[in-house]
Amino acid sequence: MNLQIPTDIRLVGYDGTNFIQNYHPELTTIMQPITDIVTMMIDLLLKRIDDPDCQLEKKLCFAR
């Protein structure tokens, strides 16, 4: 396709791994809060196990 990065097209990576953070030339990356996401998902799972009828989209279900 004869495209040049970054002249013709921009490249963005996800997760901000150590390899990408130290890669040269620098690559724009989006770091995701994986630990926070996992913690939230475990909390939601435990709430659902404890109360299968809990409506997860309601704020009461998210209260800690």
Side-chain angles (χ1 to χ4, degrees), residues 4-64:
Q4 298 291 315
I5 298 172
T7 308
D8 302 320
I9 189 169
R10 304 274 187 212
L11 182 65
V12 177
Y14 285 89
D15 293 334
T17 61
N18 286 335
F19 172 76
I20 294 301
Q21 289 177 10
N22 297 316
Y23 185 79
H24 296 284
E26 294 178 6
L27 174 65
T28 299
T29 60
I30 297 172
M31 295 180 66
Q32 299 181 66
I34 301 297
T35 302
D36 294 337
I37 293 170
V38 169
T39 299
M40 182 182 73
M41 295 305 296
I42 291 170
D43 287 346
L44 292 173
L45 177 61
L46 292 174
K47 288 180 191 316
R48 181 51 65 102
I49 290 170
D50 190 45
D51 180 7
D53 297 323
C54 180
Q55 297 298 313
L56 297 179
E57 60 272 2
K58 292 184 180 178
K59 289 189 179 193
L60 290 175
C61 293
F62 292 102
R64 288 186 173 185

